[in-house]
Amino acid sequence: MPIGVQDFENLIKNRFVYVDKTAYVYSLVQGHVYFLSRPRRFGKSLFLSTLKQYFLGNKDIFKGHAIEKLEEENPTAFDGVAWAKHPVIYIDLNSEKYENSDSLNFALNRSLELAEHELGVETNEKTLSGRFIQLIRKAVAKTGRQAVVLVDEYDKPLLQTIDNRALFDDYRATLKAFYGVLKSEDASLRFSMLTGVTKFSQVSVWSDLNNLRDISLSEEFAGICGITTWYRACLSDKIEAFLS
């Protein structure tokens, strides 16, 4: 069982038990900008990792899963070809302990540096939002395809400083400018998704991104993370058959 495994490629290649969520991936990528709220340890990071592998065009990892047939028979309308490869920018705010004014800048810079390294581009902007914009534009110019932005636990810096008003306001201002890039660079983005525990209305994402779709309470995507009773029953039958 994949306890603590949050990387889709690792999960598949090491033959862990996987509940196929790739039909949800296919459904989501028909759209553009999404937000998903779920509690901690509920599978949000794994799902974002699955999206990343899809947009990297790593079709071999998806062999035997629902999306393999869906993508081959009817490629996503935006791309017109199956398994189109896009530059992916993954912003991970989950692994930092937000204790001082430098913590958020460090986390954002680390994610941007990793993306620059993976995409093979360099940026020279001084501000975080300026660097983010330049990264997106250079990635698009280099690959000829729109970029994909995935933000894991967008709200963790705010949740951890909610009792520290000064630091909370500092983080909120930083994130307002940073997430505002998703609106200003909309034409350069193929797909964006943010995940988190809650919705902070004071952060500009919700006012600026008027095309953002919140699927947190959508019945259509109710099973996007975790294992439901139906899935548990299916797994029990498979495990029993395997042991016998």
Side-chain angles (χ1 to χ4, degrees):
M1 294 293 290
I3 298 174
V5 179
Q6 302 181 77
D7 181 74
F8 181 72
E9 182 179 16
N10 179 24
L11 187 148
I12 296 301
K13 288 187 174 181
N14 287 288
R15 301 176 63 82
F16 286 105
V17 172
Y18 173 63
V19 177
D20 192 351
K21 306 285 187 176
T22 61
Y24 288 115
V25 171
Y26 182 80
S27 180
L28 279 179
V29 300
Q30 311 302 322
H32 188 43
V33 187
Y34 294 93
F35 170 69
L36 174 67
S37 174
R38 288 290 187 276
R40 297 265 184 248
R41 313 304 303 170
F42 227 74
K44 299 187 299 295
S45 297
L46 175 59
F47 189 77
L48 284 185
S49 175
T50 310
L51 280 166
K52 179 180 180 179
Q53 292 302 323
Y54 168 80
F55 279 114
L56 288 176
N58 293 335
K59 64 179 183 179
D60 290 343
I61 298 177
F62 293 94
K63 188 174 180 61
H65 296 94
I67 198 171
E68 180 184 31
K69 184 177 180 180
L70 291 168
E71 181 73 5
E72 294 294 343
E73 291 182 349
N74 187 23
T76 57
F78 282 85
D79 303 311
V81 294
W83 305 108
K85 185 174 182 177
H86 293 264
V88 177
I89 300 169
Y90 196 103
I91 307 297
D92 181 9
L93 297 183
N94 192 38
S95 56
E96 185 64 32
K97 191 172 183 180
Y98 298 96
E99 297 179 311
N100 54 59
S101 58
D102 295 327
S103 299
L104 179 57
N105 287 344
F106 177 80
L108 292 174
N109 273 308
R110 180 178 56 198
S111 289
L112 293 175
E113 285 175 4
L114 181 59
E116 289 166 359
H117 176 73
E118 290 178 343
L119 296 171
V121 301
E122 294 183 0
T123 60
N124 53 22
E125 288 286 338
K126 301 300 182 182
T127 66
L128 287 165
S129 55
R131 186 178 177 187
F132 193 16
I133 290 171
Q134 194 175 78
L135 174 59
I136 291 171
R137 293 180 179 179
K138 286 194 171 186
V140 172
K142 181 175 182 178
T143 63
R145 288 193 179 274
Q146 291 173 302
V148 171
V149 175
L150 305 173
V151 183
D152 194 9
E153 304 290 2
Y154 94 98
D155 57 345
K156 188 174 181 182
L158 299 177
L159 286 173
Q160 289 202 341
T161 58
I162 202 165
D163 293 326
N164 183 337
R165 186 56 185 265
L167 194 53
F168 179 91
D169 288 343
D170 181 30
Y171 283 179
R172 182 175 62 182
T174 299
L175 291 175
K176 178 180 174 64
F178 190 79
Y179 292 142
V181 171
L182 298 177
K183 177 66 173 181
S184 64
E185 294 302 302
D186 181 68
S188 298
L189 296 175
R190 161 67 176 85
F191 181 93
S192 301
M193 187 169 189
L194 299 89
T195 68
V197 173
T198 189
K199 218 173 177 182
F200 280 94
S201 59
Q202 302 97 329
V203 182
S204 68
V205 171
W206 316 117
S207 57
D208 291 350
L209 288 182
N210 51 15
N211 59 339
L212 184 149
R213 180 182 175 189
D214 184 352
I215 61 171
S216 303
L217 299 178
S218 170
E219 184 175 354
E220 179 185 357
F221 297 103
I224 200 168
C225 291
I227 300 176
T228 65
T229 301
W230 182 83
Y231 279 128
R232 285 201 299 269
C234 291
L235 281 173
S236 295
D237 291 343
K238 290 182 179 180
I239 292 171
E240 183 177 344
F242 174 77
L243 292 176
S244 62

